[in-house]
Amino acid sequence: MAIQIEALWKQAGFSPTRKQREAIMHTDGPLLFQEVPPEEIFLGTFTEKAALQLRQGLTAYLSEATRLTGRAYDLSRMLVGTVHSTCRCILADRRFSRGRMRPGNVGLLDELDQYFVLLDRWNDLLKAGGFERDGNATINQYLNNGRNSKSRHGAVAATMSLFNRFSEECLDAAEALRATRDPVLKKLLRMYGAYRALDLTDLSLLQQAALAHCRVSSDAGQVLRHVIVDEYQD
């Protein structure tokens, strides 16, 4: 039995605004009611809490649709989450891999992992940057508002923040080196180049890693056919 989306709105006591109605009724009707498989949909939002609320809301709506139509809707393969959580799924899902082969283990670093990697490799990174001595003091003064400190922790934390900014801006260390005359920045860029050479994936590099993974497979771009962004105006 067919069901109109308006019937679900009435059951839920929901009355959309004109803009909401336009978004919901995209492509002549709600996508899930136009025979679009859930696994072809990515519903993106900005926080994990919002993603949970969206999934719970969808489950409630479709439970009501199942009650009215007798048809079950399976959301288990629908991607609902933040960009970062979706990138993790892309790296782990064989649908995005060349030949749909099982992906290898992706060593994703969270913030704490990244800090300890930097701490463990710190002397090597300082050497790669050309900080012959007093590297911690120089970095702290440069990155921590002129703070006069030899703290290794402070230097590592500040450098990690800088590296993440470089990564998020897709900065190329070699190009940036040619573009600046700042001697301390040059050293930090050399350190960043040495860090990237470790071939690790931290949270700031996750989106780049997922994009590179998709580019390897000619079929990856056909997996998710519909993208919905929650609160897109934000």
Side-chain angles (χ1 to χ4, degrees), residues 174-193:
E175 290 183 5
L177 269 169
R178 293 191 291 269
T180 184
R181 295 182 179 180
D182 186 316
V184 179
L185 181 56
K186 280 182 176 292
K187 293 179 179 180
L188 289 166
L189 286 166
R190 292 190 190 101
M191 288 180 68
Y192 178 64

Side-chain angles (χ1 to χ4, degrees), residues 8-28:
L8 292 180
W9 293 346
K10 185 176 181 180
Q11 289 288 334
F14 173 63
S15 180
T17 65
R18 182 177 62 83
K19 289 292 185 181
Q20 287 172 331
R21 175 180 283 273
E22 289 176 359
I24 295 169
M25 304 301 288
H26 178 64
T27 65
D28 298 323

Side-chain angles (χ1 to χ4, degrees), residues 33-217:
F33 293 84
Q34 292 289 329
E35 305 302 326
V36 176
E39 60 267 24
E40 293 184 359
I41 300 172
F42 164 47
L43 174 53
T45 187
F46 295 95
T47 67
E48 294 295 345
K49 180 179 179 181
L52 177 61
Q53 291 173 339
L54 283 171
R55 185 172 286 279
Q56 290 173 337
L58 281 169
T59 300
Y61 261 109
L62 294 178
S63 294
E64 183 63 20
T66 297
R67 186 185 69 80
L68 293 172
T69 66
R71 176 181 175 181
Y73 295 89
D74 181 11
L75 293 180
S76 63
R77 298 196 68 189
M78 180 175 172
L79 283 179
V80 182
T82 64
V83 170
H84 281 89
S85 66
T86 300
C87 286
R88 290 192 188 97
C89 290
I90 287 173
L91 291 172
D93 191 331
R94 66 171 61 197
R95 293 181 300 160
F96 297 91
S97 298
R98 178 187 290 169
R100 299 213 165 187
M101 303 211 29
R102 185 181 298 278
N105 183 36
V106 179
L108 177 63
L109 306 178
D110 62 21
E111 290 183 7
L112 188 60
D113 293 330
Q114 184 185 13
Y115 172 82
F116 280 114
V117 165
L118 286 171
L119 190 66
D120 183 58
R121 305 289 185 106
W122 190 241
N123 289 335
D124 292 336
L125 291 173
L126 286 176
K127 185 177 180 180
F131 288 101
E132 297 179 1
R133 56 183 175 180
D134 296 329
N136 293 336
T138 302
I139 291 172
N140 278 321
Q141 186 173 41
Y142 190 81
L143 296 179
N144 287 325
N145 299 318
R147 180 184 175 193
N148 186 18
S149 170
K150 294 184 179 181
S151 166
R152 173 179 287 204
H153 164 73
V156 170
T159 301
M160 186 174 88
S161 179
L162 179 69
F163 284 4
N164 289 342
R165 183 175 176 184
F166 286 164
S167 296
E168 288 161 2
E169 296 293 336
C170 299
L171 180 140
D172 182 283
E175 290 183 5
L177 269 169
R178 293 191 291 269
T180 184
R181 295 182 179 180
D182 186 316
V184 179
L185 181 56
K186 280 182 176 292
K187 293 179 179 180
L188 289 166
L189 286 166
R190 292 190 190 101
M191 288 180 68
Y192 178 64
Y195 171 70
R196 290 297 307 273
L198 297 176
D199 199 25
L200 301 170
T201 303
D202 57 44
L203 292 175
S204 295
L205 292 167
L206 181 57
Q207 294 179 58
Q208 294 183 51
L211 178 60
H213 183 71
C214 287
R215 283 175 169 167
V216 172
S217 171

